[in-house]
Amino acid sequence: MISCVNLYRMTRVKKGIKDMKKISVLGLGYIGLPTACMLANNGFEVLGVDVNKEIIDKLNCGKLHIEEPELEKIFLDAFKNKKIKISLKLEESDVFIIAVPTPLNHKKKADLSFVVSAADEISGKIKKGNVVILESTSPPGTTRNIVGKIITNSTGFLAGKDYYLAFCPERVLPGKIVYELENNDRIVGGVDKKSAEITQDIYKTFVKGKIFLTDLETSEFVKLAENTYRDVNIAFANELSLICSDYGIDVRQVIEYANMHPRVNILNPGPGVGGHCIAVDPWFILENTKRKDTLIEKSRNINDNMPFIISQRVAEIVSKYKKPKVTIFGFSYKENVGDTRESPAIVINNELIKRKIKVSIYDPLAINTKYSLSGLEDSVNGSDIILLFTGHSIFKEIDLVLVYDLMRSRNIFDTRNFFDRTTVEKLGFNYYNI
Ligand code: SAJ
């Protein structure tokens, strides 16, 4: 008599990588688009889906809506060879990869509405034996309890039995996304071993790094722990910078010497932590825990407070000038990227304007921002201080003599240790730093 376990095993889907021909990627942002291109250029028929018609139209004209080194090449390779199709409409596929945004809502909780609608859409197209992979960074339990539950509730399909379900977080650094997509190690969490293995096989087609397998919740947690580790370390550096300034000690020198210790690696203090990862993911860890007074929350608050501290210091420096003007150099959340999402420079801009201080912004890399950006000369003309917020490499080319001539007062507040103090002081600037 066949035991029910065997009967159950017999009814389980049995598919392998060779059965996976067509992959749909839902969400064509900084992660979804490069991932779709990688898969398309490594043997799969790929459908790229996004709800934003502007993005779809732009991509279908062979144009990109985001700037990342090498991304245009891998996209045009796939697009011109018809290996990737771009559409607003999802189609039946063997694999569905969800790479939609998971922003924070006003209660510092994950807004999973894009994940929910992606799972709903997939429910309408999924077939037995398909693979569903969540890439979007999410609170622990999201893959099983949100994506898995939605599919089961609307199709009756069980994850691990009728279809494969996995979580495979991206770990790429904006500015190096294409390179890191290929070369970083990956963690894959499966609702069961088979789901993890088949997902590993799919990513192995383009990932040169190692791929480690675990369960869903562990892989979700690993992603959050990585970014929270960095946030806590940056908070330590920022707090150290505040205490050092109380002592009148140069925190940069302290960090430089301390990092000579074999087991010390203090990160860089700065004007705040931006982007939609490091400033967001720690809250996802705290989302379902009742623990109070955590180091993680304290670190978030320290980093979130930095742009206010910087605004206060800038206001103090320019308080002696009539109708002061501040020039912000760099508006992106970090160097050499154009992404201004969650950039602390937005907080500083708003804080200074609230204090009736005129602000002009110079950032030739910044894209998709509603804030008005000026050319170099207009931005420094009649200005009293340059607030170096983001250290784009191209700022090294700036003619500081020209800047000096155009400014009304010559102050530089360098929040990134970007300029050489001796050089700018020799030019006659007053130099301030964190
Ligand atoms: N920052 C500092 N001091 C530092 C390092 C960074 O103030 O020493 C600030 C930056 O200026 C920026 C913010 O922190 O405002 C975050 O920048 P980042 O370069 O540390 O990280 P992201 O957000 O660009 O990318 C991170 C990376 N995570 C880790 O390095 C652990 C990347 O690998 C992730 O894939 C990415 O988040 C993500 O998408 O999760």
Side-chain angles (χ1 to χ4, degrees):
M1 212 314 268
I2 301 179
S3 74
C4 49
V5 177
N6 293 343
L7 188 60
Y8 175 78
R9 257 204 208 98
M10 261 162 24
T11 57
R12 259 182 184 217
V13 287
K14 272 207 189 65
K15 294 265 183 159
I17 181 75
K18 63 184 180 344
D19 305 303
M20 305 301 155
K21 307 255 181 312
K22 181 172 176 181
I23 300 185
S24 284
V25 177
L26 294 83
L28 300 177
Y30 280 85
I31 302 303
L33 182 61
T35 303
C37 298
M38 285 287 188
L39 291 162
N41 293 329
N42 286 281
F44 294 100
E45 176 201 341
V46 173
L47 171 67
V49 180
D50 201 290
V51 291
N52 181 324
K53 187 168 180 321
E54 220 183 296
I55 290 176
I56 296 298
D57 294 346
K58 208 166 183 181
L59 288 172
N60 275 324
C61 297
K63 298 239 173 334
L64 294 187
H65 55 294
I66 41 183
E67 286 189 18
E68 263 294 317
E70 296 170 62
L71 180 55
E72 187 169 30
K73 180 184 173 313
I74 63 169
F75 172 67
L76 292 177
D77 283 355
F79 190 64
K80 288 202 175 121
N81 301 316
K82 302 202 174 343
K83 293 179 191 158
I84 189 168
K85 196 170 97 180
I86 303 290
S87 169
L88 282 165
K89 277 178 71 37
L90 183 61
E91 297 168 4
E92 288 185 2
S93 306
D94 302 306
V95 181
F96 300 94
I97 298 180
I98 303 173
V100 296
T102 47
L104 266 186
N105 65 21
H106 64 288
K107 292 192 188 123
K108 302 273 185 211
K109 300 277 182 196
D111 168 359
L112 295 175
S113 57
F114 299 106
V115 171
V116 168
S117 36
D120 282 337
E121 260 204 273
I122 291 170
S123 301
K125 301 289 179 195
I126 192 169
K127 294 272 176 290
K128 283 199 172 180
N130 287 169
V131 182
V132 177
I133 303 165
L134 178 64
E135 274 233 17
S136 310
T137 306
S138 307
T142 303
T143 313
R144 186 188 306 276
N145 304 329
I146 303 287
V147 176
K149 279 234 172 73
I150 288 172
I151 292 172
T152 301
N153 293 347
S154 57
T155 66
F157 290 175
L158 293 177
K161 178 176 172 290
D162 302 307
Y163 73 99
Y164 302 103
L165 179 63
F167 179 72
C168 182
E170 55 75 23
R171 320 168 99 178
V172 294
L173 196 69
K176 291 172 67 182
I177 290 181
V178 174
Y179 171 82
E180 293 208 355
L181 260 183
E182 244 182 332
N183 297 287
N184 281 6
D185 294 348
R186 302 286 293 249
I187 308 290
V188 170
V191 73
D192 62 351
K193 190 160 174 289
K194 183 65 188 164
S195 295
E197 286 168 350
I198 201 162
T199 302
Q200 177 184 43
D201 293 342
I202 292 165
Y203 281 83
K204 256 196 196 148
T205 58
F206 68 89
V207 172
K208 296 190 184 115
K210 295 195 198 71
I211 303 180
F212 300 93
L213 307 186
T214 182
D215 62 76
L216 289 174
E217 285 72 22
T218 301
S219 59
E220 289 163 332
F221 226 103
V222 167
K223 171 64 193 182
L224 300 175
E226 291 163 3
N227 280 350
T228 305
Y229 165 82
R230 195 162 175 82
D231 192 47
V232 171
N233 269 287
I234 297 168
F236 173 67
N238 284 333
E239 190 156 74
L240 204 59
S241 75
L242 300 176
I243 299 172
C244 279
S245 65
D246 299 341
Y247 281 80
I249 290 173
D250 179 354
V251 67
R252 304 279 176 189
Q253 205 166 53
V254 169
I255 292 174
E256 190 189 338
Y257 290 142
N259 284 353
M260 290 170 185
H261 185 289
R263 285 177 294 284
V264 175
N265 177 30
I266 305 170
L267 295 177
N268 299 313
V273 171
H276 56 292
C277 311
I278 309 264
V280 169
D281 297 356
W283 295 115
F284 288 2
I285 281 193
L286 295 174
E287 179 134 338
N288 303 322
T289 176
K290 300 215 170 358
R291 291 182 183 283
K292 294 281 172 267
D293 207 23
T294 62
L295 168 70
I296 294 173
E297 184 164 355
K298 279 202 174 76
S299 302
R300 275 284 71 237
N301 295 338
I302 290 168
N303 291 337
D304 277 354
N305 196 31
M306 289 309 285
F308 295 97
I309 291 171
I310 300 296
S311 308
Q312 173 62 28
R313 294 206 39 207
V314 170
E316 282 159 13
I317 296 167
V318 298
S319 58
K320 55 181 172 280
Y321 307 118
K322 265 209 174 53
K323 297 201 171 110
K325 173 181 173 179
V326 173
T327 306
I328 299 180
F329 270 14
F331 207 62
S332 310
Y333 80 93
K334 70 171 195 179
E335 70 283 356
N336 303 328
V337 300
D339 193 349
T340 58
R341 286 177 295 178
E342 320 283 343
S343 173
I346 295 169
V347 177
I348 294 173
N349 177 71
N350 299 347
E351 269 303 294
L352 294 175
I353 289 172
K354 237 194 268 166
R355 295 161 189 253
K356 310 251 176 301
I357 295 171
K358 187 164 181 253
V359 181
S360 69
I361 304 165
Y362 173 61
D363 189 334
L365 271 67
I367 55 169
N368 304 335
T369 177
K370 63 178 183 183
Y371 293 86
S372 73
L373 308 174
S374 312
L376 175 61
E377 297 189 17
D378 288 351
S379 74
V380 298
N381 203 8
S383 179
D384 299 297
I385 185 167
I386 291 182
L387 172 65
L388 188 279
F389 175 82
T390 304
H392 297 313
S393 310
I394 48 163
F395 287 167
K396 294 284 182 195
E397 325 293 320
I398 290 176
D399 175 355
L400 287 177
V401 176
L402 168 73
V403 169
Y404 184 96
D405 295 342
L406 289 169
M407 292 178 76
R408 178 173 75 166
S409 331
R410 281 79 186 193
N411 300 295
I412 289 182
F413 190 154
D414 183 354
T415 68
R416 303 284 187 176
N417 204 27
F418 181 80
F419 291 115
D420 174 61
R421 182 182 198 129
T422 325
T423 311
V424 295
E425 285 180 338
K426 263 210 196 99
L427 288 168
F429 288 98
N430 302 316
Y431 179 88
Y432 303 87
N433 67 8
I434 286 215

